[in-house]
Amino acid sequence: MPKTVALLLVAGVAVLTACGAPGTRPGAPSTVTETSVSVQRPAETSGPASSATRLIVVPDVSGMNHQAAQDAMQAAGLYNLREVDGTGKGRMLALDRNWVQTGQDPAPGTKVTADAVITLTAVKIGEK
């Protein structure tokens, strides 16, 4: 029995040693190669208008709470939203439902592409 265990142990060590990459030593630095891939969109054809060229009418979100205003913009297909503290204090609009819209750019009714930047200006409820 001890001979069998010793033989299995030797065979196991041989297998584990053979699993290493050729020419590598334990603890030796390894080389990492980084590869980048560039993907390009196919050229647009002269067919129907793509979603980037389709015009969207900017909804009127005046007086809405900020969360409802964001929801309305996204429902219209506008996702590139920028938010601004209307008091000029530069605060982040952290709890969207605690803010009310006081302005937007571009103006309601303007036709824009889906990737247009929409600026929503808001103040905390109760502020002017």
Side-chain angles (χ1 to χ4, degrees):
M1 182 82 167
K3 262 186 171 180
T4 305
V5 171
L7 188 57
L8 286 175
L9 184 60
V10 170
V13 169
V15 169
L16 290 175
T17 304
C19 291
T24 60
R25 296 173 303 180
S30 61
T31 303
V32 177
T33 304
E34 190 173 312
T35 305
S36 64
V37 177
S38 177
V39 178
Q40 293 182 344
R41 288 179 153 193
E44 294 203 22
T45 62
S46 60
S50 70
S51 63
T53 58
R54 181 177 62 98
L55 294 180
I56 300 170
V57 177
V58 177
D60 184 359
V61 296
S62 304
M64 289 184 180
N65 78 46
H66 187 60
Q67 182 63 60
Q70 288 176 323
D71 293 344
M73 291 294 176
Q74 291 171 358
L78 300 168
Y79 294 91
N80 195 359
L81 306 178
R82 180 175 163 249
E83 46 193 35
V84 176
D85 177 359
T87 65
K89 296 178 184 175
R91 299 174 294 181
M92 291 179 54
L93 283 64
L95 298 173
D96 297 337
R97 296 188 190 284
N98 292 342
W99 295 76
V100 63
Q101 291 307 129
T102 59
Q104 66 184 78
D105 183 48
T110 304
K111 293 181 180 180
V112 298
T113 58
D115 60 349
V117 175
I118 308 296
T119 302
L120 300 173
T121 304
V123 295
K124 281 191 172 184
I125 294 175
E127 291 180 338
K128 293 189 181 207

